[in-house]
Amino acid sequence: MAAVDFHTADSDIAGIVIRPPFLFLGVLFLGHFLDHVAPLPLSLPFNDEGEHVLGHAISVGLVMMGIAIMVEGISNFTRSNTPVPSTQPARALVTTGIHRWSRNPIYVGMLLFYLGVGVALSSPWT
């Protein structure tokens, strides 16, 4: 595993106010809430009468891809002995595995998961 080691002081961590998983979850709940309070005049093309097979397949596919990408990103950090939480200083710059394709694969996975849940809920706000 190719990782570039560097040392940081504790003051070199990102000043994160809200951790990204909680931000994604909060926005997901906000979108679902807004669907009920201020519905948009839009609908997803596959939300006719109950659960449509295409919408179900798309949502499951997005959620599964999101989970797989998040797990691979976390595993890649773990193999490089780098902490996943952004409240801890990084120990290495990971450039192999899934990080070769995306600098932030965990966020890409969260986004795909979020989109899959939005499709499953037939939520235009989400």
Side-chain angles (χ1 to χ4, degrees):
M1 168 135 326
V4 178
D5 289 330
F6 61 93
H7 300 284
T8 59
D10 286 342
S11 62
D12 289 341
I13 60 174
I16 303 297
V17 176
I18 300 174
R19 303 235 336 143
F22 297 122
L23 181 62
F24 271 91
L25 190 60
V27 172
L28 183 68
F29 284 130
L30 178 63
H32 188 62
F33 172 75
L34 288 173
D35 282 327
H36 295 288
V37 174
L40 293 173
L42 304 170
S43 66
L44 297 174
F46 37 75
N47 66 351
D48 310 341
E49 307 198 3
E51 184 175 290
H52 191 277
V53 174
L54 179 62
H56 183 70
I58 290 172
S59 64
V60 167
L62 287 169
V63 166
M64 296 302 287
M65 283 189 313
I67 290 171
I69 290 171
M70 282 189 288
V71 166
E72 181 57 27
I74 291 168
S75 297
N76 213 16
F77 272 169
T78 303
R79 284 189 299 268
S80 296
N81 197 26
T82 296
V84 175
S86 54
T87 56
Q88 298 175 14
R91 295 187 190 122
L93 177 62
V94 182
T95 59
T96 59
I98 198 157
H99 286 87
R100 186 176 25 179
W101 301 100
S102 170
R103 182 70 194 108
N104 296 300
I106 299 170
Y107 296 158
V108 171
M110 280 189 227
L111 178 64
L112 291 173
F113 184 89
Y114 175 88
L115 291 173
V117 171
V119 169
L121 296 174
S122 296
S123 170
W125 274 104
T126 301

